[in-house]
Amino acid sequence: MSTVPAAATRLVCADGRPSGAGGPRHLRASDADRERVAEVLRTSAAEGRLDLDELDERLRAVYAARTYAELEPILVDLPKPSTAPVGLDGVPPRPGEVAERQRAVAVMSGFHRRGAWIPPRLLSCLAFWGGGTIDLRDARFLYGDLKIRAVAVMGGVEVIVPDDAEVDVTGIGLMGGFDHGATAPGRHGAPRIVVTGFAFWGGVTVRRKSRKHKD
């Protein structure tokens, strides 16, 4: 029997109209949207709200979902965390509605932040026997600056920054590598990105690439 709950009520748009084929919940979800929902599920499992079988089934449903409407029922019976997925209600977020501090963890696994996602002010990430990718080229910056604190232990973290951003890399490596090559000023009005942290028998790479979608 499926452990993914059905939505308790009919889905509606932000203005109260029934959600049809053109409603915001029927918009295509991005990779970043799916990753945010997956993170909520993992947190709920760590708190004892889901057992491992339920977590596995819901994660499979998350990565198979194509729209917000398919993602929403997966979280319907779980408390809304402070870092709840943005955009499932079809309403554009404001700075105060997005957590200023977030975490990304890969322990013998991986994490990805990419697509049209919304970075916090501080993103702390750990890769231990695993790897992670933080792609900021298509990110929507609500805050003018972002600090990434990356720790890689026998693992790796890749940070991809827009080529017009101001970037300052200050991390260090011990029997590992911390790439400082992307440090450079950016154009006026572009986001400021600071990458700091520590690499031990691992590596943190920071690369500049052109934006996927030009402003």
Side-chain angles (χ1 to χ4, degrees), residues 77-121:
D77 60 345
L78 297 173
K80 183 178 179 181
S82 60
T83 56
V86 174
L88 294 188
D89 58 1
V91 179
R94 294 171 294 183
E97 297 173 338
V98 178
E100 294 195 18
R101 296 170 178 261
Q102 295 179 21
R103 293 179 298 172
V105 178
V107 178
M108 293 185 287
S109 61
F111 66 78
H112 301 278
R113 299 291 186 273
R114 60 192 176 199
W117 67 294
I118 301 173
R121 285 191 186 277

Side-chain angles (χ1 to χ4, degrees), residues 171-191:
I172 60 174
L174 177 62
M175 291 187 287
F178 213 111
D179 183 5
H180 288 241
T183 296
R187 69 170 173 83
H188 178 71

Side-chain angles (χ1 to χ4, degrees), residues 14 53 76 93 207:
D53 288 338
V76 73
R207 295 188 294 157

Side-chain angles (χ1 to χ4, degrees), residues 30-189:
S30 69
D31 289 338
D33 294 321
R34 283 182 280 270
E35 287 296 337
R36 284 193 290 269
V37 174
E39 188 65 26
V40 174
L41 293 177
R42 294 185 185 103
T43 299
S44 296
E47 294 171 345
R49 302 182 192 277
L50 298 174
D51 62 32
L52 293 180
D53 288 338
E54 291 171 325
L55 174 63
D56 180 67
E57 181 174 353
R58 294 198 191 195
L59 285 175
R60 282 189 276 111
V62 167
Y63 292 116
R66 294 177 179 271
T67 65
Y68 291 139
E70 293 173 339
L71 286 174
E72 188 176 56
I74 298 171
L75 302 178
V76 73
D77 60 345
L78 297 173
K80 183 178 179 181
S82 60
T83 56
V86 174
L88 294 188
D89 58 1
V91 179
R94 294 171 294 183
E97 297 173 338
V98 178
E100 294 195 18
R101 296 170 178 261
Q102 295 179 21
R103 293 179 298 172
V105 178
V107 178
M108 293 185 287
S109 61
F111 66 78
H112 301 278
R113 299 291 186 273
R114 60 192 176 199
W117 67 294
I118 301 173
R121 285 191 186 277
L122 173 62
L123 177 62
S124 298
C125 51
L126 168 66
F128 177 74
W129 281 14
T133 300
I134 302 168
D135 189 341
L136 298 164
R137 287 175 294 169
D138 208 24
R140 304 170 186 171
F141 285 87
L142 293 187
Y143 305 106
D145 58 282
L146 166 63
K147 184 175 183 179
I148 299 173
R149 184 180 296 140
V151 176
V153 180
M154 293 182 286
V157 176
E158 179 185 34
V159 181
I160 303 173
V161 300
D163 57 1
D164 60 351
E166 177 184 350
V167 180
D168 187 11
V169 182
T170 63
I172 60 174
L174 177 62
M175 291 187 287
F178 213 111
D179 183 5
H180 288 241
T183 296
R187 69 170 173 83
H188 178 71

Side-chain angles (χ1 to χ4, degrees), residues 25 69 80 195:
R25 286 186 172 88
K80 183 178 179 181
V195 184

